[in-house]
């Protein structure tokens, strides 16, 4: 399995040694852009990592959110895209239909990119009713790396958030991940 991390504006810097991929928070809702997006993207690319970008989904205005995300997330062949589906700071969440519609809209807007769903185990097992994860499931479950407690096929497993979000990807090599990421 490959090792990776995901970062947001809370991580002013990170080390890419030993990492194969880095996901970077790009946007949230229809107004937030990660102020460290450019610097974090450069660090990940300079480290030779496969780079992904994610959008923190809010309920409502799904087309506008998808358009906002793709307008702000860098676009390079082989970059991955993901939607972060969880409870917002206001205690709300996008519905299943909204999550599905957002993924489909991002896939329509960026047809040459893989678009994934990120959610935690509780959302996947108890909130999700469609099991639609776009091109791959990125599951958060803080247990042994590579052993999330779900029956569904997964692509990436976030297994801890200490000292930062650490992930593993179910690929045999970085080249295999790059090949998958470039349709």
């Amino acid at each position: 399995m490959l090792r990776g991390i995901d970062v947001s504006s809370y991580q002013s810097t990170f080390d890419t040694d030993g990492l194969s991929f880095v996901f970077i928070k790009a946007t949230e809702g229809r107004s937030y852009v990660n102020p460290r997006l450019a610097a974090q993207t450069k660090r990940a690319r300079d480290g030779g990592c496969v780079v992904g970008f994610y959008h923190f989904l809010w309920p409502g205005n799904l087309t506008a959110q998808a358009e906002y995300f793709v307008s702000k997330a860098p676009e390079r062949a082989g970059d991955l895209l993901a939607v972060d589906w969880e409870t917002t700071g206001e205690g709300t969440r996008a519905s299943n239909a909204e999550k599905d519609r957002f993924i489909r809209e991002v896939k329509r807007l960026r047809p040459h990119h893989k678009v994934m769903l990120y959610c935690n185990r509780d959302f996947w097992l108890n909130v999700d009713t469609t099991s639609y994860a776009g091109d791959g499931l990125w599951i958060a479950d803080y247990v042994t790396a590579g052993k999330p407690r779900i029956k569904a096929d997964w692509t990436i497993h976030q297994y801890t958030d200490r000292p930062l979000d650490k992930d593993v990807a179910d690929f045999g090599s970085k080249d295999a991940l790059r090949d998958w990421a470039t349709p």
Side-chain angles (χ1 to χ4, degrees):
M1 281 186 286
L2 304 179
R3 302 245 172 235
I5 59 172
D6 56 278
V7 297
S8 67
S9 63
Y10 296 112
Q11 289 78 33
S12 59
T13 188
F14 54 89
D15 186 4
T16 59
D17 288 346
L19 300 181
S20 297
F21 63 95
V22 175
F23 270 88
I24 302 161
K25 180 176 184 178
T27 54
E28 180 172 332
R30 293 178 296 131
S31 60
Y32 174 83
V33 176
N34 175 355
R36 296 189 169 149
L37 178 61
Q40 290 172 330
T41 301
K42 181 178 182 342
R43 177 172 295 277
R45 291 198 200 290
D46 288 351
C49 296
V50 174
V51 180
F53 301 98
Y54 70 91
H55 173 83
F56 189 97
L57 190 63
W58 281 72
N61 301 304
L62 282 302
T63 299
Q65 285 189 69
E67 290 170 348
Y68 187 69
F69 175 46
V70 300
S71 76
K72 303 300 182 186
E75 184 173 2
R76 182 182 283 185
D79 285 347
L80 297 166
L81 302 173
V83 57
D84 180 349
W85 183 45
E86 56 187 291
T87 303
T88 68
E90 295 180 356
T92 61
R93 69 171 182 251
S95 69
N96 280 273
E98 288 174 318
K99 174 260 301 178
D100 293 355
R101 198 162 70 239
F102 180 86
I103 293 170
R104 286 185 174 97
E105 184 63 12
V106 171
K107 286 176 69 61
R108 185 187 72 75
L109 294 167
R110 291 259 185 106
H112 303 294
H113 291 265
K114 298 282 185 166
V115 181
M116 305 174 67
L117 169 66
Y118 167 92
C119 67
N120 63 42
R121 179 178 181 262
D122 179 62
F123 261 56
W124 184 252
L125 296 177
N126 301 311
V127 177
D128 190 274
T129 58
T130 65
S131 299
Y132 181 64
D135 297 309
L137 176 61
W138 174 13
I139 190 78
D141 187 22
Y142 298 162
V143 294
T144 303
K147 299 192 183 296
R149 297 167 296 163
I150 61 171
K151 292 179 181 175
D153 289 336
W154 56 273
T155 307
I156 297 175
H157 173 210
Q158 182 185 88
Y159 62 92
T160 188
D161 63 356
R162 300 190 191 280
L164 53 98
D165 291 347
K166 293 183 180 179
D167 307 273
V168 291
D170 194 18
F171 292 89
S173 69
K174 194 187 304 186
D175 285 340
L177 175 59
R178 283 188 200 285
D179 287 348
W180 179 80
T182 309

